Amino acid sequence: MWDSDFRGDDVLLDLHDGARSTPLAADVDRTHTCEMCGAHSERVLAVHPRHGRRRLCPACAKVATIRTAQREAVTRRAAESAWARRVVADPTSAWAHLRYGPRSRTEAGRRRRPPYVLVTAVDHTGATLVRTTIRLAGPRSTDEVPNNAVPLDKAARQLTRRLGGRRLIVWRAEDAAAIREWTGDGPAACRYVDGDALAQRLPAWRGVVTRAGARVPTCLSPGRADRLFVATMRMASLPELDDDARAWLTAGPGTARVEVTGDEEFTRRVHAVLRAVDIVADDAEPAPTPLRGMPGTVTMAVHCHRDGTTG
């Protein structure tokens, strides 16, 4: 009902009767509504191509990013486990590691080349193939070199004899390149397949995803060939091993108490692998202890050398 009878000085007002009006519904603006949780934002929400081209609020976008990263990590972890099973089953596989001595500096502050390098290598059973210290420093070098270090030409013949024809599994690709340079390119030369570097494969197998949805790109180096072998064994057949078992990968003297939890067959299998590579610190057979409230699950304490093998 409109009433135009009210008039004032030079003012004309139209009165509107709200009781007799029918309000028109406003169109819903989908650009401000999260398609996952339904939250209504004051701003236009972004479209995320990686998440089905949906408009998501910041919280849902972060959750979707983390879930996507987790799914990708599961796929990559399975691929790395398959790779580990192949190299462990290959009788020509050899795990090699180089540990260089401390590098001194010149008077100008430049770093000199390493004075020596410790080369260790094991085969697909964990048996030692090579354990030798190679002298890299020249005869006039003042850097300290171990007394048991051998000249490079003599060590190269030993490496060729022990590693010739084998497939190298290393921590870094640079280690394989150095060994191949020392052993030459003859018919008995060792082989390196692109991608056989645990520095890239081990973090991918761990599959750790941060709260930002990114995968952890690096992890600690196991530090020696026998430890590389144990890490590969974990990737191949022991994915459920607790991360506390990293105690045996920690450099330094002494022993560490490692607790392995699982069914009894699994715990004994882990103990057998550790003993095979001489990491177990004693000959006593550990006794599995049943866990309360968890039928079929036991825990076993194994004392391991923190510095790896004793030999």
Side-chain angles (χ1 to χ4, degrees):
M1 177 180 180
W2 299 92
D3 190 350
S4 302
D5 294 338
F6 174 80
R7 294 183 183 275
D9 295 337
D10 299 328
V11 176
L12 178 63
L13 298 178
D14 291 335
L15 301 181
H16 175 65
D17 187 357
R20 300 188 179 185
S21 66
T22 303
L24 299 177
D27 294 335
V28 178
D29 189 355
R30 299 293 183 182
T31 62
H32 292 69
T33 303
C34 176
E35 297 183 29
M36 181 177 291
C37 69
H40 303 295
S41 173
E42 292 184 351
R43 299 182 178 181
V44 175
L45 298 176
V47 176
H48 295 266
R50 292 193 61 191
H51 309 314
R53 300 197 60 82
R54 294 180 296 174
R55 295 187 183 274
L56 303 177
C57 66
C60 289
K62 179 174 290 188
V63 171
T65 299
I66 294 175
R67 288 176 177 174
T68 300
Q70 287 175 325
R71 289 193 297 267
E72 294 174 351
V74 169
T75 302
R76 184 69 185 275
R77 186 161 54 245
E80 299 304 337
S81 294
W83 169 85
R85 286 190 290 270
R86 288 195 301 270
V87 296
V88 167
D90 186 353
T92 67
S93 295
W95 284 256
H97 187 269
L98 307 183
R99 187 171 70 187
Y100 291 92
R103 300 171 62 180
S104 60
R105 294 184 179 271
T106 64
E107 294 181 356
R110 297 179 179 178
R111 300 184 68 184
R112 294 189 176 95
R113 64 177 299 184
Y116 65 90
V117 59
L118 172 63
V119 182
T120 55
V122 299
D123 63 10
H124 71 293
T125 65
T128 300
L129 291 173
V130 175
R131 182 181 175 84
T132 184
T133 303
I134 303 176
R135 181 185 181 91
L136 300 178
R140 294 186 298 177
S141 174
T142 59
D143 290 331
E144 185 176 350
V145 179
N147 295 330
N148 62 342
V150 299
L152 180 57
D153 55 350
K154 180 180 179 181
R157 292 193 294 270
Q158 179 186 5
L159 294 177
T160 303
R161 185 171 60 255
R162 298 291 181 86
L163 301 179
R166 292 184 176 272
R167 176 179 179 177
L168 294 180
I169 313 299
V170 292
W171 179 249
R172 302 176 307 163
E174 292 84 350
D175 293 348
I179 294 175
R180 296 187 67 185
E181 179 182 354
W182 296 334
T183 57
D185 298 327
C190 52
R191 299 178 294 116
Y192 176 72
V193 179
D194 187 28
D196 282 354
L198 284 176
Q200 288 77 39
R201 292 190 175 273
L202 190 57
W205 173 78
R206 289 188 180 277
V208 178
V209 176
T210 66
R211 287 183 293 179
R215 290 195 298 270
V216 176
T218 59
C219 63
L220 295 177
S221 168
R224 214 162 55 195
D226 50 359
R227 301 171 185 175
L228 294 178
F229 173 73
V230 171
T232 309
M233 285 289 294
R234 291 183 61 190
M235 294 171 62
S237 58
L238 306 176
E240 65 272 36
L241 190 61
D242 190 86
D243 281 343
D244 288 343
R246 287 181 298 175
W248 79 64
L249 304 179
T250 303
T255 61
R257 184 176 184 270
V258 178
E259 291 189 359
V260 184
T261 303
D263 58 64
E264 184 170 350
E265 179 183 359
F266 163 72
T267 56
R268 293 191 181 278
R269 184 154 51 98
V270 173
H271 179 259
V273 171
L274 299 181
R275 175 168 287 178
V277 295
D278 294 332
I279 289 180
V280 177
D282 53 52
D283 295 330
E285 187 70 23
T289 303
L291 293 180
R292 289 185 178 181
M294 302 179 65
T297 303
V298 300
T299 183
M300 175 188 291
V302 184
H303 293 275
C304 301
H305 295 287
R306 290 213 309 262
D307 193 31
T309 61
T310 58

